[in-house]
Amino acid sequence: MKQALLLFVKLPIAGKVKTRLGTSVGDAQAALFYTAFVQDLLTKIDNHGLETLIFFNQEEPVTKYIEWLGNRKLFPQRGRNLGERMFNAFEDSFALDYTRCVLTGSDLPDLSPQTIEEGLSSLKKHAVCIGPAKDGGYYLIGFQNKKLTDIPFTAINWSTPRVFKQTIQKFKSNNLDPYILPEQADVDTLQDLEDLVQSKDFKTRCPHTFKAYRKYIKTA
């Protein structure tokens, strides 16, 4: 039974990543923070041995992602909106004979491999899983290959506090009973980042983000 984490990434270009954070710290600094977020997440994933398929935003060529991330399993995101891109990522992964997959974004430097594993393990008994984010969205979603449907990805008000509730309603309308993971905060704003900095063991859990934040504080 093959399983994988699907990770969505963008190239860390100022003004194109973490724009809400950029309104507080500047676009260039927000891009540096985003780079650190990805480094922290990938380091944990690699150390845990999780198989990871990276789906990259096609606004920039794959060669730039290889320069940044090295020799990894890279796939282009396909779709006109976030819902289509996520659904297509699952479809592309299941076409490679994966049987269980979970998908997450790259603004969660403190997301633990254990939480990812919990999501994957839940798919042995549950058709779907989802992890609610503190802002009303979700930070992770997963499917068994035979239960994939585009219904939870259509007619959703993306980037609003209604995303999680709307998705749960979509699951119910399709007779899917999701496994609910613990709530997690992603980092979209300066307040989110400061909350992370104040959290327990931040320095050891997110060393790259800690280094970037310490540098930012010295120059702010």
Side-chain angles (χ1 to χ4, degrees):
M1 301 284 279
K2 290 173 65 178
Q3 62 181 24
L5 168 68
L6 316 183
L7 179 64
F8 269 30
V9 300
K10 290 182 177 181
L11 211 64
I13 297 174
K16 292 191 175 182
V17 294
K18 296 288 94 188
T19 54
R20 290 175 61 194
L21 179 59
T23 61
S24 298
V25 303
D27 289 334
Q29 182 62 53
L32 292 175
F33 278 130
Y34 178 76
T35 302
F37 298 165
V38 174
Q39 289 175 312
D40 279 327
L41 183 55
L42 283 177
T43 297
K44 284 194 279 281
I45 290 168
D46 291 344
N47 289 341
H48 202 74
L50 287 167
E51 183 160 9
T52 305
L53 312 182
I54 295 180
F55 284 82
F56 63 91
N57 186 293
Q58 290 194 78
E59 289 183 7
E60 302 296 331
V62 66
T63 51
K64 291 191 176 182
Y65 287 94
I66 294 172
E67 289 174 9
W68 176 34
L69 300 173
N71 186 23
R72 294 179 178 272
K73 294 179 180 179
L74 294 164
F75 303 88
Q77 295 177 22
R78 300 184 297 107
R80 296 167 296 178
N81 56 52
L82 178 59
E84 286 187 8
R85 293 195 295 272
M86 289 195 289
F87 174 75
N88 289 334
F90 278 108
E91 271 209 324
D92 291 346
S93 303
F94 291 141
L96 298 172
D97 295 327
Y98 290 93
T99 55
R100 298 187 298 270
C101 291
V102 297
L103 183 152
T104 192
S106 44
D107 51 3
L108 296 136
D110 64 334
L111 180 61
S112 73
Q114 289 76 21
T115 298
I116 297 169
E117 284 280 14
E118 182 180 347
L120 287 166
S121 295
S122 75
L123 296 174
K124 295 175 183 178
K125 294 182 179 181
H126 295 259
V128 295
C129 67
I130 191 168
K134 288 188 177 180
D135 62 4
Y138 59 80
Y139 66 88
L140 181 147
I141 189 168
F143 288 85
Q144 296 175 352
N145 61 342
K146 302 294 186 183
K147 296 295 185 178
L148 179 64
T149 171
D150 64 353
I151 290 176
F153 301 113
T154 56
I156 298 290
N157 297 116
W158 301 111
S159 302
T160 72
R162 298 158 56 192
V163 170
F164 178 75
K165 289 183 178 179
Q166 288 180 331
T167 304
I168 292 295
Q169 290 169 353
K170 296 279 187 177
F171 281 146
K172 290 180 178 178
S173 72
N174 207 43
N175 296 316
L176 294 172
D177 182 25
Y179 178 86
I180 308 294
L181 289 156
E183 187 180 71
Q184 177 95 16
D186 50 15
V187 182
D188 288 323
T189 67
L190 181 57
Q191 185 61 58
D192 295 335
L193 179 58
E194 291 176 344
D195 288 344
L196 174 63
V197 169
Q198 297 301 319
S199 64
K200 185 179 179 181
D201 300 326
F202 163 69
K203 181 178 178 179
T204 54
R205 289 186 296 110
C206 307
H208 294 95
T209 304
F210 169 77
K211 184 177 179 181
Y213 185 79
R214 185 173 61 178
K215 197 170 187 179
Y216 163 69
I217 289 298
K218 286 182 178 179
T219 57

